[in-house]
Amino acid sequence: MSVVEQYARAHIVTDEDVDRLDSDAVPVVLRYDPDSDPRAVRIDLPGPHEWTFDRELLEEGLRAPAGSGEVRVWPCGRVQAVVEFHSEQGVSVVQFETKTIMRFLRRTYMATAPVAS
């Protein structure tokens, strides 16, 4: 099976030192490797920030708030979704366009679909 990697742009939402922040979207990588773990997705944020969590959580969070612990996902209006990452260093809140996540999820399911003989 093939790895799905999608480059996207997202907004990192924070309240610390807002004047220093660039209001433009930042590059993010959405990754799915069915050979490594067919149930997990990975989101790489700028810097050494990488999060691996259940693909189902990402999908559920597009419809209603989902998750607990380190990763939480919820819809934000009709066209955006928020992914919240908790660590010992604090909380990162990342806002995506819903269609970006839906496109990525669709590609992950296509990558795991059985091949017709």
Side-chain angles (χ1 to χ4, degrees):
M1 291 186 240
S2 61
V3 172
V4 174
E5 195 167 83
Q6 181 172 318
Y7 295 88
R9 301 205 46 89
H11 292 275
I12 297 180
V13 182
T14 183
D15 61 357
E16 77 178 35
D17 206 359
V18 174
D19 295 333
R20 275 188 327 118
L21 294 175
D22 184 357
S23 62
D24 292 336
V26 297
V28 175
V29 179
L30 306 169
R31 184 175 171 82
Y32 173 71
D33 185 351
D35 294 331
S36 174
D37 184 348
R39 292 180 308 249
V41 294
R42 189 175 88 195
I43 295 181
D44 296 334
L45 302 175
H49 307 288
E50 177 182 303
W51 298 86
T52 302
F53 58 96
D54 195 76
R55 175 173 61 172
E56 189 174 305
L57 170 62
L58 189 58
E59 186 173 0
E60 288 175 6
L62 294 179
R63 293 185 301 273
S68 62
E70 292 184 344
V71 180
R72 299 171 188 166
V73 183
W74 67 88
C76 181
R78 293 179 10 178
V79 297
Q80 297 187 342
V82 172
V83 182
E84 185 177 273
F85 302 103
H86 293 255
S87 71
E88 292 178 5
Q89 291 77 32
V91 178
S92 296
V93 179
V94 183
Q95 190 173 38
F96 290 91
E97 287 189 19
T98 302
K99 67 181 179 182
T100 299
I101 295 176
M102 290 174 63
R103 185 179 320 119
F104 171 68
L105 287 170
R106 189 174 21 240
R107 291 180 63 209
T108 68
Y109 286 113
M110 289 172 56
T112 57
V115 178
S117 317

